[in-house]
Coordinates of all heavy atoms in Angstrom, one line a residue:
M4 N 10.4 1.0 24.3 CA 10.2 1.3 22.9 C 11.3 0.8 22.1 O 12.5 1.1 22.5 CB 10.0 2.8 22.9 CG 9.9 3.3 21.5 SD 9.8 5.1 21.3 CE 11.4 5.6 21.4
G13 N 19.0 6.5 11.1 CA 18.4 6.8 9.8 C 19.5 7.1 8.8 O 19.2 7.5 7.6
S31 N 27.7 1.5 -25.2 CA 28.2 0.1 -25.2 C 27.7 -0.7 -24.1 O 27.2 -1.8 -24.2 CB 29.7 0.0 -25.3 OG 30.1 -1.4 -25.4
V69 N 19.8 9.9 -14.6 CA 19.3 10.7 -15.6 C 18.6 12.0 -15.1 O 18.4 13.0 -15.9 CB 18.3 9.9 -16.5 CG1 19.0 8.8 -17.3 CG2 17.1 9.4 -15.8
G76 N 26.9 17.5 -9.7 CA 27.8 16.5 -10.5 C 27.1 15.6 -11.4 O 27.8 14.8 -12.0
A103 N 13.5 -0.5 -15.1 CA 14.5 0.7 -15.5 C 13.9 1.9 -15.5 O 14.6 3.0 -15.3 CB 14.9 0.2 -17.0
A108 N 13.5 8.4 -11.2 CA 12.8 8.6 -9.8 C 13.7 9.5 -9.0 O 13.0 10.1 -8.0 CB 12.4 7.2 -9.2
Q120 N 20.3 16.3 -0.6 CA 20.7 15.9 -1.9 C 22.3 15.8 -2.0 O 22.7 14.8 -2.5 CB 20.2 16.8 -2.8 CG 18.7 17.0 -2.8 CD 18.1 17.9 -3.9 OE1 18.3 17.7 -5.1 NE2 17.3 18.8 -3.5
R121 N 22.9 16.8 -1.4 CA 24.4 16.8 -1.6 C 24.9 15.5 -0.8 O 25.7 15.0 -1.4 CB 25.0 18.1 -1.0 CG 26.4 18.3 -1.1 CD 27.0 19.6 -0.7 NE 26.4 20.7 -1.6 CZ 25.5 21.6 -1.2 NH1 25.1 21.6 0.0 NH2 25.2 22.6 -2.1
G170 N 5.2 5.9 1.9 CA 4.2 7.0 1.8 C 3.7 7.3 3.2 O 3.2 6.5 3.8
R188 N 17.5 0.3 2.3 CA 16.7 -0.9 1.9 C 16.7 -1.9 3.0 O 15.8 -2.7 3.2 CB 17.1 -1.5 0.6 CG 18.6 -2.1 0.7 CD 19.2 -2.4 -0.7 NE 18.3 -3.7 -1.2 CZ 18.7 -4.8 -0.9 NH1 19.7 -5.2 -0.2 NH2 18.0 -6.0 -1.4
M202 N 3.6 -8.6 -15.7 CA 4.6 -7.9 -15.0 C 5.3 -8.5 -13.9 O 5.5 -7.9 -12.7 CB 4.0 -6.5 -14.5 CG 3.7 -5.5 -15.6 SD 5.4 -4.9 -16.4 CE 4.7 -3.9 -17.8
V215 N 10.6 2.4 12.3 CA 11.8 2.8 11.8 C 11.9 4.3 11.7 O 11.2 5.0 11.3 CB 11.8 2.3 10.2 CG1 13.0 2.9 9.5 CG2 11.9 0.9 10.2
S252 N 4.6 0.5 -22.1 CA 3.6 -0.1 -23.0 C 3.9 0.2 -24.6 O 3.5 -0.8 -25.3 CB 2.2 0.5 -22.6 OG 2.1 1.8 -22.7
G267 N 6.0 -14.0 -37.2 CA 4.6 -14.7 -37.2 C 4.0 -14.7 -38.6 O 3.3 -15.6 -38.9
K286 N -3.0 -8.7 -42.8 CA -2.4 -7.6 -43.4 C -3.0 -6.3 -43.1 O -2.4 -5.2 -42.6 CB -2.4 -7.7 -45.0 CG -1.4 -8.6 -45.5 CD -1.5 -8.7 -47.1 CE -2.6 -9.5 -47.5 NZ -2.5 -9.7 -49.1
L289 N -2.5 -5.8 -39.1 CA -1.2 -5.2 -38.8 C -0.9 -3.8 -39.3 O -0.5 -2.9 -38.4 CB -0.2 -6.0 -39.6 CG 1.4 -5.6 -39.6 CD1 1.9 -5.5 -38.2 CD2 2.2 -6.4 -40.6
D295 N -1.9 3.0 -35.4 CA -2.3 3.4 -34.1 C -1.1 3.6 -33.2 O -1.0 4.6 -32.4 CB -3.2 2.3 -33.4 CG -4.5 2.3 -34.0 OD1 -5.0 3.3 -34.7 OD2 -5.3 1.2 -33.9
F302 N 2.3 11.6 -30.6 CA 1.6 12.5 -29.6 C 2.4 12.5 -28.2 O 2.8 13.5 -27.8 CB 0.2 12.2 -29.4 CG -0.5 12.9 -28.2 CD1 -0.3 14.2 -28.0 CD2 -1.6 12.3 -27.6 CE1 -1.0 15.0 -27.0 CE2 -2.3 13.1 -26.7 CZ -1.9 14.3 -26.4
V310 N 7.2 20.5 -23.8 CA 7.3 20.9 -22.4 C 8.8 21.0 -22.0 O 9.2 21.9 -21.2 CB 6.5 20.0 -21.5 CG1 6.7 20.4 -20.1 CG2 5.1 20.1 -21.8
A314 N 10.9 24.1 -20.3 CA 11.8 23.9 -19.0 C 13.2 24.4 -19.3 O 13.9 25.0 -18.5 CB 11.9 22.3 -18.7
H334 N -3.2 8.0 -23.2 CA -3.4 7.6 -24.4 C -2.5 6.6 -25.0 O -2.9 5.5 -25.6 CB -3.5 8.9 -25.4 CG -3.8 8.5 -26.8 ND1 -2.8 8.4 -27.8 CD2 -5.0 8.2 -27.3 CE1 -3.5 8.1 -28.9 NE2 -4.7 7.9 -28.8
G386 N -9.5 16.2 -19.7 CA -10.5 17.0 -20.3 C -10.9 18.1 -19.5 O -11.1 19.2 -20.0
L392 N -11.7 23.3 -16.0 CA -12.5 23.0 -14.8 C -11.6 22.3 -13.7 O -10.4 21.9 -14.0 CB -13.6 22.0 -15.2 CG -14.5 22.6 -16.4 CD1 -15.4 21.5 -16.9 CD2 -15.4 23.7 -15.7

Side-chain angles (χ1 to χ4, degrees):
M4 180 181 75
S31 178
V69 299
Q120 294 181 64
R121 184 174 290 113
R188 64 186 296 271
M202 287 290 180
V215 172
S252 61
K286 289 181 281 190
L289 173 61
D295 287 342
F302 178 29
V310 176
H334 179 255
L392 301 175

